[in-house]
Amino acid sequence: MSETFVLPVGPQHPALKEPTSFRFKVDGEYIIDADLRLGYNHRGMEKGCEARTYVQDIYLLERVCGICSNAHMTCFAQGVERLMGIEPPPRGLFIRCLMGELERIHSHLLWLGVAGHEIGFDTFFMYTWRDREVVMDLLEMVSGNRVNYGMQTFGGVRRDLDGTQIKTLLEGIAALKARTPYYLNLGATEPTMVARIKGVGLLPKQKAIELNTAGPTARASGVDFDVRKDDPYAGFGDLIPFTIVTDDGCDVLARVVVRAKEMMASYDIMEFILKNLPAGEIRTKAPRRVPEGETVSRVEAQRGECIHYIRANGTDKPDRVKVRAPTLANWPATLYMLRGAFLADIPIIMAAIDPCLSCTDRMAVISDCRGNEKVWDWETLRQHGIDFHRRRGIRP
Amino acid sequence: MSLRLGAMLPEVFRHLFKRPATVLYPFERNTVPRGLRGRPVMDPDKCIGCRMCERDCPAEAIEIKQESEATMPDGKVKKRYSMTLYLDRCAHCAQCEEICPAKPDKAVKLNEYFEEAAFDRGALKIVYK
Ligand code: SF4
Ligand code: SF4
């Protein structure tokens, strides 16, 4: 006789480094149903933006995510540029795209390693992360920082490339280009790895479309959607050629393949950019006040479509900023993939969407089992924090 | 593609004869690239007191204060400013350097020093005057 029970996983759990809470209804080793609770990492950044100037916001929003920092910065910058009615010069647009692709490489290599780690293949993790250092060094050389590159600004980019940097970039890209097929082959031919990820976390194309899946997760289910192609921004479209990568596998293996092939496509984009870099200015002058209006800006972050909504009221501070990070779009599909899966596959199925929780977290109102809800305002929360520490003998 | 057991082994063996990829920090150090965004340093001799850096700093890590005021023999008033930098809050974004209008040389610039860890928060409050 089968008996089901509910297994809570999280907020702290072994699969991810960030907190989120799941409720799994399980029957033996099978997951019958999955539910999700967000809100453990809500940081109030959208509200924070309203209290700061546009210039300050660009750095605040860069920190929505440590991995997609350039994607958020680009997204916000180009939205505000549209409201200001300014357009960066071609060289600025090219460097903007270059940063996006460099970031994609670092993120995909990081993800490959994490995927290896989640299925217990730590050798794979070590090698991918070692190679990731190549692109991290390139990013550091171009921007002056390993994370949070701070390259984008209103009207273009903040740093230019010189001849030596272009040469180093091309060398680094060539080295990575030689390495990536190795990972692709390994992912697709190493029997232990294939056995662990093939047919796991199935998401059919129709479901991927219905559940609004974004990024490599969607493309690995055969959905050929990419903002770079469907709503070209920065230099994409007319200036920089781009090929979309999809796979029909619909499983975790397909997500590995799509990401590895996307890296190959990114190397081509970067080589094109570096060999055809237009001369001239990298940025145009931007006003400090933004005329009244509203806009939606989107970019293809490495995890999928990243959307920013910006409403301006004519001052130097935005009226409202809303961020839709790609992970939020992929949660419904993750829950779908988890239903019917094995308990042991939870880590890799979740990791396969490359989730980023703090980027996604919203404030959530949770009622207890009796249906009671409690909402605290800022002052109450602050007082609670002070009292909490006082009780433990810590004085502010 | 056919499945192949031990596809990683040749790579693993090759690495037996390679140098480690990591550096034994702090005994050895990596060199940092030119233009690394390190610690903001302010030169009071060049500052014109416009407070643009203070206004733009996203981390509110900068305080500009007027220190003295002197009338020069030619009748011009010369003011001197100090900067208090809360390095524990600084996000190393270099917006202060970017916005500083002082000419011909910017009054605040980021150096390439990156070993900023400290045991005491107070040590990260830096006053330039
Ligand atoms: S580098 Fe950025 S965060 Fe640091 S003091 Fe300058 S403006 Fe502020
Ligand atoms: S922006 Fe430059 S000149 Fe203006 S107050 Fe800051 S350091 Fe001084």
Side-chain angles (χ1 to χ4, degrees):
Chain A
M1 196 189 90
S2 87
E3 220 176 296
T4 60
F5 67 98
V6 175
L7 178 74
V9 174
Q12 308 294 344
H13 53 87
L16 303 168
K17 309 293 174 282
E18 293 173 276
T20 194
S21 174
F22 287 90
R23 298 277 182 285
F24 292 113
K25 199 173 180 192
V26 292
D27 179 359
E29 284 289 305
Y30 287 102
I31 301 165
I32 309 289
D33 202 6
D35 194 15
L36 170 75
R37 278 186 180 177
L38 290 176
Y40 296 91
N41 251 351
H42 180 63
R43 292 171 293 172
M45 281 183 147
E46 291 176 355
K47 194 75 192 160
C49 285
E50 293 166 21
R52 290 169 174 77
T53 61
Y54 284 96
V55 177
Q56 292 174 317
D57 284 344
I58 196 166
Y59 300 106
L60 178 65
L61 287 167
E62 179 182 21
R63 282 155 181 83
V64 165
C65 180
I67 309 272
C68 310
S69 63
N70 183 71
H72 282 284
M73 215 180 188
T74 308
C75 199
F76 185 67
Q78 71 183 15
V80 174
E81 279 162 7
R82 206 173 300 149
L83 290 171
M84 287 170 170
I86 57 171
E87 171 84 14
R91 193 178 174 90
L93 290 178
F94 269 55
I95 298 177
R96 183 170 278 182
C97 291
L98 176 82
M99 284 306 291
E101 296 314 305
L102 280 172
E103 193 182 54
R104 195 178 314 279
I105 300 293
H106 112 69
S107 172
H108 281 3
L109 278 171
L110 175 137
W111 180 84
L112 276 177
V114 171
H117 172 72
E118 297 297 356
I119 57 172
F121 195 179
D122 276 324
T123 322
F124 192 67
F125 160 69
M126 295 284 179
Y127 286 144
T128 43
W129 278 48
R130 182 204 51 195
D131 290 340
R132 177 170 168 263
E133 281 307 302
V134 176
V135 68
M136 295 307 281
D137 287 346
L138 294 179
L139 281 162
E140 190 184 23
M141 174 193 75
V142 174
S143 72
N145 219 354
R146 270 169 65 93
V147 277
N148 294 329
Y149 318 108
M151 278 291 277
Q152 315 297 337
T153 191
F154 308 130
V157 291
R158 294 171 69 207
R159 286 187 183 211
D160 202 355
L161 295 174
D162 63 25
T164 12
Q165 284 176 329
I166 293 177
K167 200 169 145 273
T168 320
L169 277 164
L170 284 169
E171 284 165 7
I173 292 166
L176 288 167
K177 203 173 180 176
R179 272 306 280 178
T180 307
Y182 173 72
Y183 295 123
L184 183 57
N185 284 338
L186 205 66
T189 62
E190 188 10 272
T192 46
M193 185 146 175
V194 173
R196 196 66 185 74
I197 56 178
K198 196 170 165 57
V200 171
L202 282 174
L203 179 71
K205 181 173 180 180
Q206 197 46 42
K207 269 286 160 200
I209 296 169
E210 264 171 42
L211 295 170
N212 279 327
T213 322
T217 314
R219 291 193 285 276
S221 288
V223 184
D224 66 337
F225 177 80
D226 191 309
V227 185
R228 289 173 288 173
K229 169 180 86 73
D230 292 289
D231 184 12
Y233 58 95
F236 292 113
D238 323 329
L239 301 177
I240 300 169
F242 163 72
T243 45
I244 189 164
V245 177
T246 58
D247 195 280
D248 294 325
C250 304
D251 54 4
V252 176
L253 175 61
R255 282 160 221 152
V256 172
V257 170
V258 160
R259 286 193 174 92
K261 287 189 178 161
E262 252 180 52
M263 278 158 50
M264 294 305 280
S266 286
Y267 300 138
D268 293 340
I269 298 173
M270 290 192 288
E271 281 177 350
F272 178 88
I273 291 174
L274 292 168
K275 288 179 181 154
N276 298 284
L277 200 60
E281 293 292 313
I282 53 165
R283 63 192 280 187
T284 46
K285 214 172 148 36
R288 290 190 77 87
R289 284 171 188 277
V290 179
E292 227 170 289
E294 58 179 355
T295 188
V296 171
S297 163
R298 40 187 203 162
V299 303
E300 185 71 25
Q302 46 274 48
R303 289 163 166 142
E305 182 190 22
C306 168
I307 308 174
H308 283 204
Y309 165 79
I310 307 146
R311 188 168 68 216
N313 53 10
T315 63
D316 61 351
K317 291 180 183 148
D319 202 33
R320 174 81 169 99
V321 177
K322 163 132 185 74
V323 178
R324 204 296 310 265
T327 302
L328 194 68
N330 283 334
W331 275 134
T334 315
L335 294 181
Y336 175 85
M337 292 183 245
L338 284 165
R339 288 181 195 123
F342 276 126
L343 261 187
D345 289 336
I346 295 174
I348 186 64
I349 293 179
M350 278 205 275
I353 66 159
D354 198 2
C356 186
L357 298 167
S358 349
C359 325
T360 289
D361 259 353
R362 320 263 123 203
M363 197 177 78
V365 180
I366 297 172
S367 33
D368 65 15
C369 50
R370 286 180 209 89
N372 298 324
E373 285 171 4
K374 203 157 46 173
V375 178
W376 283 4
D377 62 10
W378 180 239
E379 263 319 305
T380 330
L381 190 64
R382 195 181 138 79
Q383 198 51 47
H384 173 79
I386 293 171
D387 295 344
F388 178 90
H389 287 99
R390 279 227 175 98
R391 278 200 299 276
R392 281 158 184 77
I394 303 164
R395 314 251 139 225
Chain B
M1 271 181 268
S2 64
L3 297 189
R4 196 156 52 91
L5 198 64
M8 201 143 204
L9 284 179
E11 178 82 11
V12 175
F13 283 126
R14 247 199 311 279
H15 280 78
L16 287 176
F17 308 102
K18 277 194 182 166
R19 271 164 48 82
T22 46
V23 172
L24 279 180
Y25 184 82
F27 306 106
E28 293 167 36
R29 266 189 187 162
N30 263 339
T31 47
V32 295
R34 200 163 37 89
L36 182 98
R37 302 201 308 263
R39 175 188 288 192
V41 178
M42 185 260 209
D43 183 350
D45 290 333
K46 295 179 186 147
C47 176
I48 54 170
C50 68
R51 293 177 199 275
M52 290 293 276
C53 53
E54 189 182 59
R55 209 175 77 184
D56 260 10
C57 174
E60 298 177 1
I62 294 177
E63 271 168 30
I64 299 284
K65 251 202 347 244
Q66 187 183 324
E67 288 294 326
S68 61
E69 191 176 322
T71 314
M72 295 283 124
D74 59 0
K76 274 193 189 148
V77 183
K78 180 139 178 63
K79 293 176 183 166
R80 204 179 152 83
Y81 298 87
S82 73
M83 177 197 271
T84 310
L85 175 72
Y86 295 91
L87 201 55
D88 51 342
R89 295 213 286 266
C90 171
H92 304 274
C93 64
Q95 178 64 28
C96 48
E97 177 177 331
E98 184 179 312
I99 199 73
C100 180
K103 290 230 171 71
D105 208 10
K106 293 188 184 279
V108 55
K109 276 187 188 164
L110 269 64
N111 65 15
E112 287 167 9
Y113 182 69
F114 65 94
E115 288 158 311
E116 303 282 24
F119 286 105
D120 173 18
R121 209 173 175 182
L124 294 172
K125 179 178 168 183
I126 299 166
V127 184
Y128 300 107
K129 62 174 176 188

